Amino acid sequence: RALCTPTRGQDMAEVEEDVRICHKGGKGLLLPLGGDAELYWDNRLKVILYGMGLIYCFLGVSIAADMFMAAIERITSKQKKVPVPR
């Protein structure tokens, strides 16, 4: 197990149980995708796979933002005639 530095309010017993995500046995919410087996993958492969995943996520965000902006343009382009009192 990897040791992390204790933060305020933690003692060493709590810290020893904490394993960093990049060390064997470490788990995150989503990553590493391959579990402990991913530690043995070539770094270039991991860079390519995670880079493609990042680009895919940004592409999804850009599509959603484009749809949102089209809706905003449609709403703001409506014209209404308002009579001005004289």
Side-chain angles (χ1 to χ4, degrees), residues 8-20:
R8 226 176 253 204
Q10 278 186 320
D11 59 357
M12 284 305 290
E14 292 175 344
V15 174
E16 288 176 354
E17 295 299 319
D18 189 25
V19 178
R20 293 185 183 216

Side-chain angles (χ1 to χ4, degrees), residues 1-69:
R1 292 203 179 255
L3 292 177
C4 302
T5 53
T7 58
R8 226 176 253 204
Q10 278 186 320
D11 59 357
M12 284 305 290
E14 292 175 344
V15 174
E16 288 176 354
E17 295 299 319
D18 189 25
V19 178
R20 293 185 183 216
I21 192 171
C22 57
H23 291 103
K24 189 173 183 175
K27 295 195 184 308
L29 203 64
L30 179 66
L31 301 174
L33 293 174
D36 286 342
E38 188 177 316
L39 291 173
Y40 304 109
W41 294 357
D42 186 30
N43 282 339
R44 292 174 288 198
L45 175 65
K46 289 191 274 189
V47 166
I48 291 170
L49 290 176
Y50 282 110
M52 287 174 54
L54 187 65
I55 290 170
Y56 183 76
C57 288
F58 276 114
L59 184 62
V61 168
S62 71
I63 291 170
D66 191 39
M67 292 171 60
F68 177 74
M69 286 307 296

